[in-house]
């Protein structure tokens, strides 16, 4: 019987050495190929991609309009900005001419704040007068629920009111802007009964919040007006801090002796002033953020 030949340890060593040498010979060209691809590959890939787009017209659908051009302002900033614009109304032309204008050249404006006519909403779409009147009606209902307006104030009829959209913005930084509706009782109805009717208001075009209003009421005296309660309720409605009483109010600053002014936080450590007042005789109540 033949015995199976056993491999000696020395023979294992020679076989392993020969095998490793063959592997080493294969690693050299493999490494060279990898290095070449690392150097040459990205450049050729980029050239291939460039050839696919260079000298060709590329199109892409995008949302047009004013979206993206407006920063998101908080409630204090919006009220403060509109207040500044109402106090510094700087138009490049007459208001009647501005309403007919279709575009706006910011270079024509002077000063830091401006209020100009705007026919489009935040998405660049034309807005009808009815949309502004309906937003104002929404605000009137909310103010009546909060006790800011008397319950007998009537809702607005579209046929009786004018509604113009305006942009209130910071001229050096026009992306800081607020869209508002200016709602007014039609001047053709001057001789009509104005009792319990809204006369004028500025309404946020996005939220329907009423920044400023003048209304004829059945209230007959200033003693019947709780200005502090109205100021506190309006501040909560607008999402502002609690009002502080403005102590340095000039008694000649209004056309009526019946008013009270309140101080709110504005922007960059500035304060804004809100006035609640009453015209006796015509029984007109007002809340305004303009001077």
């Amino acid at each position: 019987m033949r015995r199976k030949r056993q491999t000696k340890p020395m023979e294992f060593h020679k076989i392993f050495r020969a095998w490793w040498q063959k592997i080493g010979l294969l690693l050299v060209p493999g490494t060279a190929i990898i290095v070449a691809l690392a150097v040459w590959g990205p450049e050729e890939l980029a050239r291939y991609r460039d050839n696919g787009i260079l000298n060709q017209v590329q199109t892409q659908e995008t949302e047009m309009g004013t979206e993206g051009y407006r920063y998101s302002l908080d409630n204090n900033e919006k009220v403060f900005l509109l207040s500044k614009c109402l106090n510094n109304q700087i138009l490049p032309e007459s208001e009647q001419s501005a309403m007919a204008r279709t575009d706006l050249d910011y270079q024509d404006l002077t000063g830091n704040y401006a209020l100009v006519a705007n026919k489009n909403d935040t998405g660049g779409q034309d807005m009808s007068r009815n949309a502004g009147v309906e937003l104002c009606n929404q605000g009137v209902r909310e103010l009546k629920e909060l006790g800011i307006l008397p319950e007998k104030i009537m809702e607005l009829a579209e046929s009786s009111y004018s509604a113009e959209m305006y942009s209130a913005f910071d001229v050096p930084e026009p992306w800081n802007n607020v869209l508002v509706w200016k709602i007014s009782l039609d001047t053709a109805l001057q001789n009509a009964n104005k009792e319990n009717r809204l006369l004028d208001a500025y309404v946020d075009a996005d939220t329907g919040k009423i920044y400023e209003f003048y209304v004829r009421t059945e209230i007959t005296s200033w003693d019947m007006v709780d200005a502090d309660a109205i100021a506190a309720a309006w501040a909560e409605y607008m999402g502002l801090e609690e009002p502080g009483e403005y102590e340095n109010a000039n008694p000649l600053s209004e056309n009526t002796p019946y008013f009270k002014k309140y101080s709110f936080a504005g922007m960059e450590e500035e304060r804004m002033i809100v006035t609640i007042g009453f015209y006796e005789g015509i029984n007109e109540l007002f809340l305004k953020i303009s001077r």
Side-chain angles (χ1 to χ4, degrees):
M1 180 182 294
R2 294 180 60 186
R3 298 181 60 186
K4 187 176 180 181
R5 184 171 176 266
Q6 294 182 349
T7 303
K8 295 181 179 180
M10 184 61 71
E11 292 178 345
F12 273 120
H13 178 72
K14 291 179 179 181
I15 293 172
F16 177 77
R17 185 176 181 181
W19 177 78
W20 183 250
Q21 288 176 344
K22 291 180 180 180
I23 294 296
L25 292 174
L26 293 175
L27 285 175
V28 173
T31 302
I33 292 172
I34 293 173
V35 172
L37 288 174
V39 174
W40 172 82
E43 182 178 351
E44 285 301 310
L45 180 59
R47 185 178 294 112
Y48 173 77
R49 290 178 175 174
D50 289 343
N51 289 335
I53 60 174
L54 291 177
N55 300 320
Q56 298 184 37
V57 177
Q58 306 291 323
T59 62
Q60 182 178 357
E61 293 185 3
T62 60
E63 294 287 339
M64 299 301 292
T66 57
E67 280 187 312
Y69 193 62
R70 304 172 67 213
Y71 280 177
S72 178
L73 303 178
D74 63 29
N75 294 322
N76 274 89
E77 291 170 336
K78 292 174 74 173
V79 178
F80 177 79
L81 179 56
L82 180 58
S83 173
K84 281 289 189 181
C85 291
L86 292 175
N87 293 330
N88 300 273
Q89 292 189 44
I90 300 174
L91 299 175
E93 52 212 343
S94 69
E95 184 172 325
Q96 182 177 358
S97 176
M99 290 180 181
R101 190 160 27 83
T102 57
D103 58 352
L104 173 64
D105 185 355
Y106 294 101
Q107 302 303 318
D108 290 340
L109 299 172
T110 58
N112 292 327
Y113 299 94
L115 185 72
V116 297
N118 188 336
K119 295 182 178 180
N120 299 328
D121 66 1
T122 55
Q125 303 297 315
D126 287 345
M127 294 290 287
S128 69
R129 179 185 67 173
N130 294 349
V133 173
E134 180 53 39
L135 267 180
C136 190
N137 269 329
Q138 170 188 313
V140 167
R141 288 191 290 268
E142 291 177 353
L143 293 186
K144 291 198 308 186
E145 290 175 0
L146 293 171
I148 297 171
L149 290 179
E151 276 294 330
K152 290 188 178 182
I153 297 298
M154 296 184 291
E155 291 198 5
L156 286 62
E158 294 173 357
S159 59
S160 302
Y161 285 85
S162 64
E164 299 292 341
M165 184 179 286
Y166 285 84
S167 287
F169 62 90
D170 183 341
V171 174
E173 299 179 343
W175 47 86
N176 288 334
N177 64 86
V178 182
L179 279 179
V180 294
W181 285 101
K182 182 181 180 182
I183 308 295
S184 301
L185 185 65
D186 199 320
T187 54
L189 301 175
Q190 287 182 349
N191 297 323
N193 181 12
K194 299 178 183 178
E195 186 175 311
N196 290 321
R197 300 184 76 166
L198 179 80
L199 301 182
D200 293 285
Y202 279 100
V203 183
D204 191 292
D206 295 324
T207 65
K209 297 290 186 181
I210 295 180
Y211 292 102
E212 182 171 302
F213 63 79
Y214 290 79
V215 293
R216 291 287 176 88
T217 72
E218 292 183 341
I219 298 172
T220 57
S221 72
W222 176 242
D223 292 336
M224 299 171 65
V225 178
D226 189 343
D228 291 344
I230 292 175
W234 181 82
E236 183 177 358
Y237 160 77
M238 293 300 302
L240 305 178
E241 65 174 14
E242 292 185 4
E245 186 171 346
Y246 185 65
E247 298 178 351
N248 299 320
N250 183 345
L252 301 178
S253 62
E254 300 294 333
N255 294 323
T256 173
Y258 308 113
F259 69 89
K260 194 169 184 179
K261 293 183 178 290
Y262 299 86
S263 175
F264 290 86
M267 296 171 62
E268 298 179 354
E269 299 183 357
E270 288 192 63
R271 306 291 292 181
M272 57 185 173
I273 307 303
V274 174
T275 306
I276 297 172
F278 183 73
Y279 295 110
E280 280 194 354
I282 58 174
N283 301 337
E284 188 170 309
L285 175 70
F286 65 86
L287 183 152
K288 64 177 184 175
I289 60 175
S290 57
R291 291 194 184 97

